[in-house]
Amino acid sequence: MTKAPLIPFLFCAGALCAQADPQLSCWITQYSGKYGRIYENEAALLSGSSVTTWTSTNGMLTQAAPAYVGVQTIQYSADWIYITTSGFGPYTMGPWYNDATRTGQFINLPVNQKVIYAIPRTSTLGTPPATKMVTEGQNAAIGYFVDGVAMYDPTDGFTYANGAEASPGTGVWHRDAYVNEAITFDPGNSHQQNTGQYHNHADPLALRYLVGDHVDYNAAAGTYSEDLSAPTKHSPILGWLRDGLPVYGPYGYSSPMDPTSGIRRMVGGFCLRDGSTPGVDDIVTAGRTLPEWAIRNGSTESAGPAVSTTYPLGRYIEDWAYLGDLIKSGTTPYQLGTDFDLDEYNVRYCVTPEFPNGTYAYFLNVSSIGVPQFPYNTNRYFYQTATGGTTAITETTTTYFNGGPNITESAQVQNVDTASGDVSIEWSSVEGGSYKVEATPDLANWTTLTGTQAAASDAVETNYTDSGAALSNGKRFYRITRESLAAYDPDTGSSGTTGTQGIASVSPTSGTAGNTVSLTITLNNSYTPPPPPDTAAPTGATLTATGASTISAASYSRSSSTGVVTASFNIPSNATHTTYTVNAIFGSNTWSLTGGFTVN
């Protein structure tokens, strides 16, 4: 089995996508008949030994049957685009480690997410709202890349408040995922959390290599890197956020409304607050106060921890200043469009190959040496109103693409060797499929050449050679029929991690603001991943709800004989009266019950 990634191919060429609807045409679909694969460790990466089924080292995340990669279906209506995806990249994912020495295995592995994700049609979007919706805390995935992999915002879920960091936290200092978690990323810059959702916070290198977006691949090391030569073409669309806007790679037109102005890297609008850039404050010596962009977008001023080895500069996204708020020299401010290209939301209004009349678009942010730089894919705010997200389809739709095990195979004669007479036939195939190859001279009488031709492993085409056929036969026609398909994990139904909930029950189910309540939390042993052994103690418990402040347990414990968690909550008198999700936290993993508790 080869260890090299797929040959890069630009799926969304400008002329093609300018004529088609890019929200339909720019998804990568030609690999939907491949199984998802991972490298389990560094040795496997270097030897090219991938696997299609796996179990995490702690036994919590299991991909027991193969699942097909990426986008499996694309459907649409007048107002919506719907994709169904496993969440697996079409390249080989992994491996993942916890340390720079790459000896400690990362606890989580990816599993089939069986996601249906809705994105509003670009043509239905109105004027961008003045008040932006935060990405963090709304949906885990803020959008999807064109290969069907989830896109996350720049934060890792931890915030700082009251002298400590917590996840989920209530602080206004948000930890930067790339800075704090990159050690756990695979060569494509992606990893997965406790539910096995493979995702990317910053610079999806494997995807960019796949679509020819100025990224190199080192086959010997199995690593990707930015091509530092001058770019020659506009970056393709890498994904779509749930507000309906596209995300491009880092390269665009020099002049935003002039496609003849040349290609260059888009310059981000943020600088690290170390005082080295004119007009940028120095929070190393002056102390951490929130930058203007964070306050303008709804954060309440709260001092962060002093910069130290424990809390180094760059640990939080608020350690970055937006140039648009600053004075460059004298009374002259930095100017968007002159000193930098992307605004505080990582957005630019410009023409692109897909939008020749102009569009708002996010652009990937990398430094001049090709290093991911805040805010990476996007800041923690949506530019448009984010009405899309994980959903079920409840309206009549038109199917644009139906792939994976449902693709319609097509075949063609690839080569006829005039010396040997060998005829090489190739057809699009589904991994796990078994095919019958037949031939006929008259389209009436068919001869079976093989009835058990297995689909090629880790490929989307399968070949068969009819030896000497061109010399021993006259006119000859061929046809290919799929006879069977091996068992697989489908892209619909209950996901291994979301079919049920991690908490089976909570008692009591309601409480009154201003009072203390003790919750008995029974974990669901039939959930996948199962809860930790009864002897494992929780590290926290919370009540969370969209639009409400998180309520953290004042105390928590667990019975080592029954596994039941007891958590005491002091419900603030000003707590939002709503239904909360109950969360029992064990280290980096959380088991939850949506709507498990109501504050009256």
Side-chain angles (χ1 to χ4, degrees):
M1 186 175 296
T2 180
K3 66 180 179 181
L6 301 166
I7 299 300
F9 181 82
L10 186 60
F11 301 103
C12 189
L16 172 64
C17 287
Q19 298 172 10
D21 181 345
Q23 287 188 298
L24 293 172
S25 61
C26 286
W27 300 95
I28 297 175
T29 57
Q30 46 268 73
Y31 302 112
S32 69
K34 281 169 43 73
Y35 289 155
R37 282 176 163 76
I38 69 168
Y39 293 125
E40 294 184 292
N41 50 51
E42 192 79 0
L45 167 67
L46 297 177
S47 67
S49 302
S50 62
V51 295
T52 60
T53 61
W54 52 83
T55 300
S56 60
T57 55
N58 61 2
M60 294 168 58
L61 293 165
T62 298
Q63 188 61 49
Y68 294 104
V69 302
V71 177
Q72 297 291 298
T73 66
I74 304 171
Q75 301 171 71
Y76 65 94
S77 66
D79 297 325
W80 296 98
I81 305 291
Y82 299 96
I83 66 162
T84 302
T85 177
S86 65
F88 290 166
Y91 44 84
T92 303
M93 304 169 286
W96 302 272
Y97 287 90
N98 278 322
D99 53 14
T101 62
R102 298 178 75 75
T103 55
Q105 294 285 144
F106 187 48
I107 193 172
N108 300 321
L109 291 180
V111 293
N112 182 4
Q113 296 296 298
K114 307 175 187 285
V115 168
I116 301 174
Y117 204 82
I119 300 168
R121 299 292 290 264
T122 299
S123 58
T124 68
L125 300 180
T127 302
T131 300
K132 306 301 184 184
M133 179 187 296
V134 296
T135 55
E136 186 263 337
Q138 298 294 315
N139 266 3
I142 63 171
Y144 271 81
F145 292 104
V146 294
D147 60 358
V149 171
M151 186 189 311
Y152 275 33
D153 75 8
T155 70
D156 70 357
F158 281 83
T159 64
Y160 175 89
N162 303 318
E165 292 177 342
S167 176
T170 59
V172 296
W173 290 85
H174 297 81
R175 278 198 349 192
D176 185 311
Y178 177 73
V179 171
N180 294 280
E181 295 184 339
I183 199 71
T184 68
F185 293 173
D186 67 6
N189 268 350
S190 301
H191 67 171
Q192 47 281 328
Q193 29 67 304
N194 64 300
T195 67
Q197 185 172 56
Y198 184 67
H199 63 270
N200 178 277
H201 296 271
D203 195 4
L205 284 172
L207 166 63
R208 291 184 56 212
Y209 178 80
L210 185 64
V211 298
D213 189 30
H214 216 58
V215 167
D216 295 325
Y217 178 71
N218 183 326
T223 56
Y224 303 87
S225 60
E226 196 77 20
D227 181 345
L228 297 181
S229 65
T232 59
K233 59 186 176 182
H234 196 288
S235 284
I237 293 174
L238 298 181
W240 298 87
L241 262 63
R242 66 186 190 95
D243 65 356
L245 295 184
V247 181
Y248 283 87
Y251 305 106
Y253 298 128
S254 293
S255 178
M257 303 306 291
D258 182 2
T260 67
S261 60
I263 303 294
R264 61 175 175 81
R265 176 182 64 91
M266 297 293 95
V267 178
F270 287 83
C271 283
L272 201 60
R273 298 169 68 192
D274 60 1
S276 63
T277 301
V280 177
D281 58 342
D282 178 5
I283 61 174
V284 177
T285 56
R288 278 187 168 107
T289 56
L290 288 180
E292 290 183 45
W293 64 264
I295 295 174
R296 179 169 55 253
N297 285 285
S299 294
T300 302
E301 180 63 88
S302 176
V307 174
S308 64
T309 55
T310 303
Y311 303 106
L313 184 68
R315 185 175 182 85
Y316 306 101
I317 66 172
E318 289 80 12
D319 287 349
W320 292 83
Y322 175 54
L323 290 175
D325 293 327
L326 307 175
I327 299 299
K328 182 178 182 180
S329 177
T331 59
T332 303
Y334 287 93
Q335 293 290 331
L336 174 64
T338 301
D339 298 303
F340 56 98
D341 299 299
L342 307 176
D343 67 14
E344 63 192 287
Y345 310 105
N346 228 31
V347 166
R348 186 192 205 205
Y349 189 85
C350 57
V351 296
T352 71
E354 297 76 27
F355 294 94
N357 296 321
T359 184
Y360 290 103
Y362 300 92
F363 278 80
L364 187 70
N365 197 13
V366 298
S367 72
S368 59
I369 58 172
V371 176
Q373 182 170 287
F374 178 79
Y376 313 112
N377 302 320
T378 175
N379 205 336
R380 59 180 292 264
Y381 309 96
F382 293 105
Y383 194 75
Q384 284 277 5
T385 302
T387 53
T390 303
T391 188
I393 301 176
T394 59
E395 62 173 334
T396 301
T397 61
T398 300
T399 298
Y400 179 82
F401 171 77
N402 194 9
N406 299 309
I407 66 172
T408 300
E409 291 92 339
S410 61
Q412 60 181 334
V413 173
Q414 286 293 102
N415 182 61
V416 177
D417 189 316
T418 56
S420 67
D422 290 353
V423 178
S424 177
I425 308 159
E426 181 179 86
W427 64 94
S428 57
S429 57
V430 178
E431 192 163 7
S434 180
Y435 292 86
K436 180 169 66 174
V437 181
E438 298 173 285
T440 180
D442 54 14
L443 297 178
N445 300 294
W446 291 90
T447 299
T448 298
L449 303 179
T450 175
T452 57
Q453 176 72 46
S457 177
D458 195 17
V460 291
E461 291 94 19
T462 297
N463 291 277
Y464 173 82
T465 298
D466 190 5
S467 301
L471 297 181
S472 60
N473 298 280
K475 183 170 57 175
R476 197 160 171 86
F477 302 90
Y478 297 89
R479 70 182 180 188
I480 314 296
T481 306
R482 191 202 303 173
E483 295 285 276
S484 63
L485 187 64
Y488 64 96
D489 184 18
D491 63 354
T492 58
S494 297
S495 166
T497 59
T498 59
T500 56
Q501 297 205 55
I503 294 176
S505 64
V506 173
S507 180
T509 58
S510 64
T512 305
N515 291 331
T516 297
V517 62
S518 180
L519 297 187
T520 299
I521 302 171
T522 303
L523 300 175
N524 184 0
N525 289 321
S526 64
Y527 181 70
T528 303
D534 293 347
T535 53
T539 56
T542 60
L543 304 176
T544 58
T546 300
S549 297
T550 297
I551 305 172
S552 298
S555 62
Y556 39 84
S557 61
R558 190 181 188 197
S559 169
S560 60
S561 59
T562 65
V564 171
V565 174
T566 301
S568 178
F569 292 88
N570 299 322
I571 304 176
S573 58
N574 62 347
T576 302
H577 293 200
T578 189
T579 300
Y580 288 74
T581 294
V582 180
N583 307 290
I585 304 167
F586 293 80
S588 61
N589 300 304
T590 301
W591 283 261
S592 304
L593 179 61
T594 304
F597 186 80
T598 300
V599 173
N600 300 315

